[in-house]
Amino acid sequence: MGRRADSFDLNRLRMTAGEARRLELEVAVDALSLGADSYRVGPEPLVVRLEVVRTTNGYALRLRFSATVSGPCMRCLGPATPGFEVDVYEVSQPQDGEQLDSPYLDAGVLDLGAWTRDALVLSLPAAIICRDECAGLCAVCGADLASAGPDHAHAASPDPRWAKLAELRLG
Ligand SMILES: [Zn+2]
Ligand SMILES: [Zn+2]
C-alpha cells in the first residue's frame, strides 16, 4: 500500500517541447486525518488522469480524478462517503522564477502521491457530511434531526436549580 505510482518520472516520456500526453495512473492515497477522525480515500487504488504538456522550459500538468472520502459524518456521526471531483493544474518552469517552481516536480520526477492528496484535501468542504440535507443531532436529546422531523422540539426546561428555588418559594 502507498507505493504504486506515488512518483512518476516524466523524463521517461521523452517528450519534446509542445508535445502533449494523456496518462491514466493509479495512486494509493493514505487515510486523511480531519479533525479527530480518520477518513479513508476511495476507490483503492485511485485512478487519476494526468495530462502532460512539455513546454520549452518545463512542464504544464493537469490532474483530474473522482474520489470518495469515507468516515463519520461531522454533523450526525453516521457513516458518510461523499464524492468529489478534482481538477487541478500545475506548471513547472523553474527557470522562469520561483512562482513557477512546482513543489511536486523535482528534476522531472512528479510526486503524484503528494499532489493527489493535497489537491483532494484542498477541494474538501469545511465539513464532511453524510448528505446535503443532514441536519445533525438535537443538542438536547441527540436525536437525528433529519429523521426526527421539523416538529422535533423540547419544552424549555428550567435549570434544575431554578426549579428547586421555585419549589422553595411556593412552599
Ligand atoms: Zn449526517
Ligand atoms: Zn431532541
Side-chain angles (χ1 to χ4, degrees):
M1 241 183 73
R3 297 269 156 92
R4 219 168 314 245
D6 281 3
S7 71
F8 185 81
D9 188 356
L10 298 174
N11 297 306
R12 77 178 203 216
L13 297 173
R14 299 181 180 286
M15 296 168 73
T16 52
E19 214 181 326
R21 291 279 176 84
R22 276 166 194 237
L23 306 158
E24 273 203 357
L25 299 168
E26 293 184 350
V27 187
V29 181
D30 291 337
L32 308 173
S33 292
L34 305 170
D37 291 296
S38 167
Y39 290 80
R40 241 174 342 100
V41 177
E44 291 177 67
L46 195 65
V47 177
V48 303
R49 279 179 294 162
L50 178 68
E51 285 176 35
V52 184
V53 176
R54 185 84 167 96
T55 60
T56 317
N57 296 326
Y59 291 97
L61 306 168
R62 182 182 189 183
L63 178 70
R64 282 181 286 176
F65 59 90
S66 306
T68 55
V69 173
S70 308
C73 170
M74 291 180 183
R75 281 190 197 149
C76 74
L77 305 179
T81 306
F84 303 98
E85 298 294 322
V86 178
D87 187 351
V88 289
Y89 295 85
E90 195 71 22
V91 172
S92 173
Q93 294 180 166
Q95 291 173 17
D96 300 338
E98 245 173 54
Q99 279 182 326
L100 293 176
D101 190 1
S102 168
Y104 306 114
L105 203 58
D106 184 23
V109 178
L110 177 65
D111 189 343
L112 193 60
W115 189 18
T116 301
R117 184 187 171 85
D118 290 354
L120 175 60
V121 169
L122 290 174
S123 70
L124 296 179
I128 301 296
I129 52 175
C130 59
R131 57 198 190 283
D132 286 344
E133 61 275 22
C134 177
L137 303 179
C138 171
V140 177
C141 72
D144 180 347
L145 288 175
S147 42
D151 296 335
H152 183 84
H154 297 266
S157 56
D159 186 300
R161 286 167 299 176
W162 288 109
K164 269 269 182 258
L165 275 178
E167 272 171 36
L168 287 174
R169 269 185 212 142
L170 291 171

